[in-house]
Amino acid sequence: MIPVCPTTALPPGEATRVEADEPIAVFNVDGEFYAIDDTCTHQDASLADGWLDGCAVECPLHASCFDLRTGKVSGPPAKTPVRTHRVVVQDGMVYVQAGTTAEDVA
Amino acid sequence: MTSTIAVVGASLAGLSAARALRDQSYDGRIVVIGDEVHAPYDRPPLSKDFLAGTASLEDIALGAPDDEDLGLEWRLGTTAVGLEHLSRSVQLSDGSEVRADGVVLATGARARRLPGSEGLDGVHVLRSLDDAVALREDLAAAGRLVVIGAGFIGAEVAATARKLGLEVTVVETQPVPLAGPLGADMGAVCAGLHADHGTRLLTGTGVARLVGTGRVEAVELTDGTRLSADVVVVGIGATPNIEWLAHSGVALGNGVLTDARGATNTPGVVAVGDCAAAWSAAAERHVRIEHWTNALEQPATAVATLVGAGGPVPTPVPYFWSDQYGARIQFAGSRREGDVARVVEGSCDDRSFLVVYERDGQPVAVLGMNQPRLFTRWRRQLRAAVPTAS
Ligand code: FES
């Protein structure tokens, strides 16, 4: 598991980026944590820099929206989904399990 | 009989119009006419990753897997040459015609060329995929590139060519590049990227002529300077593709004139994207916008007009971006002469900053360099601040 940060360091509405083989973006949506691949599937933009809108993040570059729960893209220009990753909160720390999709676990 | 809508133009605006029609439950026939043989592709990478050879044709294709379900009829590689407005039939270059109940004009714009450059090898414009392929091939064998025009396309081509190892000179007639969109101060800051990366920038000087027989050898400037060149790229803006409508009765100006909802003066005909000059209440005139985001978003309103769905007139906040020399430049809003630019984050010298343009103390536009997160927030704020007209 990759440690991300203490829960207190990622308040609701915020996002952060962690380095992994492929960088991962972690979001706090009203107390729920979600993790997806950080790099947009369209071009080279960091989704952690994007705009959080409910359970979706809008890419900061060309505004494709990705669902944080499923990774699905809602509109062009991106054509493919991002991968989701499982988030674990333990003892006030946020961790991600890279390579485990959020849905696998659910 | 099923109804037919003809979408003339198969780039981002045309494809977005076709998608929006299905989105809005139009279930008739949609015929998409494109003068290029290629399926819709994304143009911005043509001066960047595609030109550098790091993005493939597949990477820049606009079509998504779901587009199969749209049931579009493609007429690619055929140019629309006329529109008969009474019967709403589009005449094509191969002599055939498409009769339609509604027509979406999305023929885009073409690169302006330098007079006297015709027939000279090594002189390029960059607008289409074929342009980019030809330029890429030529750059591979070249040592010296001269770019005429220091706008965004010119700057991006210069940056890509530097990356490919060419010696690059950019020539700009204006004293400061990008002063139109960004203002002189910030235009100068962005143009500073050229010097940072070893590109020579010559401003305030025009091009007298291109020198060479058969193939270009040099660019001669109005001050007499002669710049040797193996390849020349002309990036001096674009002209809307509207000549084919000259006898159609559709009102034309600097583009196809439309109201704020995309309707032309001709019933059943709307226009979108780079070829359209839509009425702007804020500017109190028709404005033709060549931004990618406009081509993506505007068609939804125009096709709603076409199918009679109505809805509010959107008041989008213009947005564009440019990637040069590894720097990401983003701009949103509407800047006018006299607006005050204020650095709110970072510094221009570090090439990482956010600048807000203010008019009467209110933010009206925002410019970011390598500040995507903050920029996104400001862009949102501008969007929220714009009143929605009804
Ligand atoms: S980089 Fe994300 S939509 Fe283009």
Side-chain angles (χ1 to χ4, degrees), chain B residues 188-206:
Chain B
V189 170
C190 290
L193 290 170
H194 291 302
D196 291 358
H197 294 85
T199 295
R200 182 152 62 129
L201 172 66
L202 303 175
T203 55
T205 175

Side-chain angles (χ1 to χ4, degrees), chain A residues 13-16 42-45 48-51 53 58 60-62 76-77 79, chain B residues 19 42 45 58-59 61 63-64 292 296 319 321 328 330 372-373 376-377 380 383:
Chain A
E14 290 298 321
T16 188
H42 177 229
Q43 279 165 24
D44 187 19
D49 287 341
W51 182 261
D53 201 354
E58 185 188 292
L61 205 47
H62 316 124
K79 289 170 280 187
Chain B
R19 284 172 175 161
D42 207 16
E58 195 191 323
D59 291 332
W292 183 95
L296 179 75
Y319 165 62
W321 76 93
R328 175 154 292 160
Q330 296 175 283
R373 181 184 291 228
T376 300
R377 287 173 193 213
R380 280 284 173 156
R383 256 197 258 177

Side-chain angles (χ1 to χ4, degrees), chain A residues 58 60-64 76-77, chain B residues 12-13 16 42 44 273-274 289-300 316-321 330-332 375 379 383:
Chain A
E58 185 188 292
L61 205 47
H62 316 124
S64 272
Chain B
L12 181 61
S16 300
D42 207 16
D274 292 10
I289 298 176
E290 290 183 1
H291 303 156
W292 183 95
T293 319
N294 183 58
L296 179 75
E297 293 172 351
Q298 192 189 39
V317 173
Y319 165 62
F320 62 84
W321 76 93
Q330 296 175 283
F331 180 94
F375 176 85
R379 183 181 166 203
R383 256 197 258 177

Side-chain angles (χ1 to χ4, degrees), chain B residues 99-111:
Chain B
R99 277 172 181 275
D101 303 276
V103 179
V104 180
L105 305 173
T107 42
R110 62 180 180 279

Side-chain angles (χ1 to χ4, degrees), chain B residues 36 66 74-75 80 94 111 116 134 156 161 166 218 222 232 272 277 292 312 333 347:
Chain B
E36 293 182 59
D66 289 355
W74 295 94
R75 299 290 299 271
D94 62 6
E156 289 177 354
L166 279 84
T222 42
V232 171
V272 293
W292 183 95
S347 92

Side-chain angles (χ1 to χ4, degrees), chain B:
Chain B
M1 222 180 86
T2 41
S3 84
T4 298
I5 288 180
V7 178
V8 190
S11 195
L12 181 61
L15 179 62
S16 300
R19 284 172 175 161
L21 278 166
R22 291 299 186 226
D23 237 29
Q24 296 176 25
S25 308
Y26 174 74
D27 60 4
R29 192 173 155 236
I30 301 177
V31 183
V32 185
I33 299 154
D35 61 345
E36 293 182 59
V37 295
H38 311 286
Y41 60 88
D42 207 16
R43 290 183 201 277
L46 295 181
S47 52
K48 312 177 191 84
D49 292 347
F50 186 80
L51 188 60
T54 50
S56 66
L57 179 51
E58 195 191 323
D59 291 332
I60 68 167
L62 281 175
D66 289 355
D67 288 343
E68 294 277 307
D69 306 339
L70 298 177
L72 307 178
E73 239 174 82
W74 295 94
R75 299 290 299 271
L76 298 176
T78 31
T79 308
V81 293
L83 173 70
E84 169 50 58
H85 75 277
L86 289 178
S87 61
R88 277 192 294 265
S89 61
V90 181
Q91 284 112 36
L92 303 179
S93 52
D94 62 6
S96 66
E97 65 174 13
V98 175
R99 277 172 181 275
D101 303 276
V103 179
V104 180
L105 305 173
T107 42
R110 62 180 180 279
R112 221 174 272 147
R113 289 171 191 272
L114 205 62
S117 65
E118 299 84 6
L120 206 53
D121 285 346
V123 181
H124 297 258
V125 292
L126 181 51
R127 180 84 196 172
S128 69
L129 182 67
D130 294 345
D131 291 340
V133 169
L135 176 59
R136 193 164 70 181
E137 277 171 13
D138 233 7
L139 287 179
R144 285 160 310 183
L145 167 70
V146 173
V147 178
I148 300 172
F152 288 112
I153 298 259
E156 289 177 354
V157 169
T160 303
R162 280 299 293 156
K163 194 155 86 181
L164 296 172
L166 279 84
E167 193 182 296
V168 183
T169 305
V170 178
V171 184
E172 168 63 50
T173 44
Q174 299 296 316
V176 179
L178 304 171
L182 306 182
D185 291 354
M186 298 320 298
V189 170
C190 290
L193 290 170
H194 291 302
D196 291 358
H197 294 85
T199 295
R200 182 152 62 129
L201 172 66
L202 303 175
T203 55
T205 175
V207 170
R209 64 188 189 107
L210 299 177
V211 185
T213 37
R215 185 169 181 98
V216 72
E217 287 160 18
V219 175
E220 203 173 279
L221 304 182
T222 42
D223 65 7
T225 313
R226 209 177 190 178
L227 304 168
S228 301
D230 304 314
V231 176
V232 171
V233 173
V234 181
I236 52 172
T239 314
N241 292 321
I242 52 173
E243 291 80 359
W244 69 285
L245 295 166
H247 305 294
S248 66
V250 173
L252 306 175
N254 174 33
V256 179
L257 301 182
T258 75
D259 66 9
R261 285 193 173 87
T264 67
N265 66 331
T266 305
V269 179
V270 298
V272 293
D274 292 10
C275 76
W279 179 258
S280 158
E284 296 180 342
R285 61 187 171 91
H286 288 94
V287 180
R288 193 171 69 82
I289 298 176
E290 290 183 1
H291 303 156
W292 183 95
T293 319
N294 183 58
L296 179 75
E297 293 172 351
Q298 192 189 39
T301 307
V303 306
T305 304
L306 195 59
V307 299
V313 178
T315 45
V317 173
Y319 165 62
F320 62 84
W321 76 93
S322 174
D323 294 309
Q324 312 165 14
Y325 303 105
R328 175 154 292 160
I329 299 169
Q330 296 175 283
F331 180 94
S334 311
R335 192 204 67 90
R336 265 194 234 148
E337 222 38 67
D339 294 345
V340 179
R342 193 163 59 87
V343 180
V344 298
E345 180 73 37
S347 92
C348 298
D349 291 344
D350 295 344
R351 308 295 186 225
S352 170
F353 60 82
L354 194 93
V355 162
V356 174
Y357 295 86
E358 291 170 340
R359 192 179 307 154
D360 307 323
Q362 294 300 313
V364 289
V366 54
L367 167 71
M369 186 184 281
N370 294 324
Q371 288 283 352
R373 181 184 291 228
L374 207 53
F375 176 85
T376 300
R377 287 173 193 213
W378 274 94
R379 183 181 166 203
R380 280 284 173 156
Q381 208 166 310
L382 286 178
R383 256 197 258 177
V386 175
T388 11
S390 55

